[in-house]
Structures are given as C-alpha cells and as structure tokens.
Amino acid sequence: MKTRVVLGFLVLLALVLFLAPASNALTIPTVSIQMDEAATPTETATVIQILLVLTILALAPSILVMMTSFVRLIVVFSFIRHALGTQTMPPNQILVGLALFMTFFIMSPVLTQIDDQAIKPFMAQEITQAEALDKAGGPLKEFMFKQTRERDLALFMSLIQKDKPQNKDDVPMSALIPAFVISELKTAFTIGFILYVPFLVIDMVVASVLLSMGMMMLPPVMISLPFKLMLFVLVDGWNLIVGSLIRSYGG
C-alpha cells in the first residue's frame, strides 16, 4: 500500500513538472549577474568602497582577535584548563565566550573613544571617511602601544627596513599589530607558567606519595585532580585570575 502511494506521488510530480511549462501554470524565475561599463568615476569608486567594506567585514574576526586583549585572555584560560588537568572542562565555547565578553569589557574605554572621535562625527557628516578612519585608529594604536614591548616593535621595524620612528604616529600598523600579538603571547605564557607551578607541585607530591606506597600502577593524575580542584575552588581561582587579567590592562 505504501509503495503504491509513493509511486502515485512520483507520477503526479512528473506530470506537474512536464505539463506545467506548457500551460504556463508554473514559472521559474531566473537570476543573472551582469557587469556593465560605469558611466562616471563616482560609480566605480562606490563599487570599490562596497568591496572594501565587505573585505573588512570578512576580516572582522581576525581584527578582533589580533588587535584586542582576546589573545592574552584565551591563552591564559587554556593554560588554566591544562594545569588543572580537566581535559575539556570548561568547554571551548565557554572559554571563548568568557574571553569575548571580557575583551569587550576591557576594550570599552577604547570603543567609547572611537565612537566619540570617529563614528559620531562621521555620521553627523562633520568629517570625511578618511578622517574617520584615521581618528578611529588613534585610540586603538594607543591601546596596543601600552601593551607592546619596545624589543618586539623594533624587530618588525627592522624587518620592514624603516628608520627608528620619531613618534607613535610614524609606526605603521603592519609593524605594530604583529609586535602587539607576540608581546601578548609572551605575557600570557608568563602568566601561564606562574599558574602551572602550584598545580605542578601537587602533581609531584601525589606522585611521590603513590610511589612510596608502591602504587605505581595507579595514575597520579587521577588522584591529584580532586586536590587541584579543591585548591582552585578554595582560593576562588576564577575571581583571582579574571581580576588579575583585567587589572593587567590598567582596568
């Protein structure tokens, strides 16, 4: 019975597809993309601006990751999870979400300056687009300069074969961004090392006790995990770490 119903449905569908075009009962729209010659240079400039905006939107996640505090936060959170030995707890989604919200919290003064100095005047047509972009980059560069080591910045300035800049305005973003990222990575690894030490001590103590008791077949990580979790909870670890990370940016 079911087979007959299916066959009947297929026959009906075939009749609709083959007979509908003849009776004009079913019309299928077509979509075409054409490239015509621009009548004026303004039209060409507008198309280029649209392409640039789409490109910036595509690169927005990379901009968020590389030019904000996100790098330091997510690396430190990963170190915490590995030091505790909890494998996938907390999950990646929670760590990334927490890092994102903390990034917005840390970057809120910078975003406020960008809004006041660039976005609002541009929306009010008080400045041009080029001036808005220049003013928007000012607070962001100032933030990155505070967290970038001179040694890292000098490395990239030497690689692009430019003389020593006279002031911050002479430093190109192509050198500042990677210098900022590796400075953040060094800071994050330093914090990670400090976080690892107490948990490493617990692992060593537990391993020594098990070895002295002759329990060599029992994994020390299994025994030390509850002690590490207890220590982390007793000292209110998340509060201490999050507070320290925010204060490391002067917040």
Side-chain angles (χ1 to χ4, degrees):
M1 183 67 182
K2 292 183 179 180
T3 306
R4 260 189 267 173
V5 173
V6 173
L7 290 175
F9 176 75
L10 293 176
V11 172
L12 180 61
L13 181 60
L15 290 173
V16 170
L17 292 176
F18 283 102
L19 297 179
S23 59
N24 293 326
L26 180 64
T27 58
I28 300 176
T30 60
V31 179
S32 61
I33 300 176
Q34 299 180 353
M35 297 182 65
D36 298 328
E37 184 178 354
T40 60
T42 305
E43 294 181 2
T44 304
T46 303
V47 173
I48 293 175
Q49 290 177 356
I50 294 174
L51 291 175
L52 289 175
V53 170
L54 293 176
T55 303
I56 292 174
L57 290 177
L59 295 175
S62 299
I63 295 173
L64 174 64
V65 169
M66 297 299 177
M67 302 176 65
T68 63
S69 59
F70 183 83
V71 175
R72 183 186 304 184
L73 300 177
I74 194 64
V75 172
V76 171
F77 290 157
S78 298
F79 271 118
I80 294 172
R81 187 169 65 182
H82 285 87
L84 287 172
T86 53
Q87 303 300 327
T88 59
M89 295 299 295
N92 288 330
Q93 294 86 344
I94 294 179
L95 294 182
V96 172
L98 178 60
L100 282 173
F101 278 104
M102 287 182 60
T103 298
F104 287 125
F105 179 82
I106 293 171
M107 300 297 295
S108 58
V110 178
L111 297 177
T112 301
Q113 292 181 16
I114 294 175
D115 185 51
D116 294 337
Q117 299 177 12
I119 298 178
K120 288 181 179 178
F122 177 72
M123 297 299 294
Q125 298 183 351
E126 297 176 357
I127 58 177
T128 63
Q129 183 178 2
E131 292 175 339
L133 291 174
D134 185 62
K135 290 181 178 294
L140 198 57
K141 290 180 68 175
E142 186 66 27
F143 169 80
M144 288 191 290
F145 270 118
K146 290 181 180 179
Q147 310 301 327
T148 303
R149 298 184 305 160
E150 293 185 3
R151 183 177 179 181
D152 296 331
L153 185 58
L155 169 65
F156 287 97
M157 291 298 295
S158 63
L159 291 176
I160 61 177
Q161 298 180 354
K162 281 197 172 185
D163 297 332
K164 184 177 180 180
Q166 300 297 325
N167 50 51
K168 296 180 180 179
D169 296 332
D170 296 336
V171 178
M173 294 294 284
S174 58
L176 178 59
I177 294 175
F180 169 75
V181 172
I182 63 174
S183 295
E184 287 290 278
L185 287 175
K186 179 180 181 181
T187 304
F189 273 66
T190 303
I191 297 174
F193 170 77
I194 297 173
L195 291 173
Y196 245 103
V197 171
F199 300 112
L200 182 61
V201 170
I202 293 177
D203 286 334
M204 294 176 63
V205 170
V206 170
S208 300
V209 172
L210 292 177
L211 184 62
S212 62
M213 296 176 64
M215 299 180 178
M216 293 177 291
M217 300 301 294
L218 187 63
V221 177
M222 183 184 302
I223 305 300
S224 63
L225 178 59
F227 292 99
K228 290 190 288 187
L229 292 176
M230 181 179 63
L231 173 65
F232 194 73
V233 171
L234 288 177
V235 300
D236 199 1
W238 288 112
N239 184 284
L240 291 175
I241 293 170
V242 169
S244 299
L245 286 172
I246 293 176
R247 282 189 289 270
S248 68
Y249 288 97

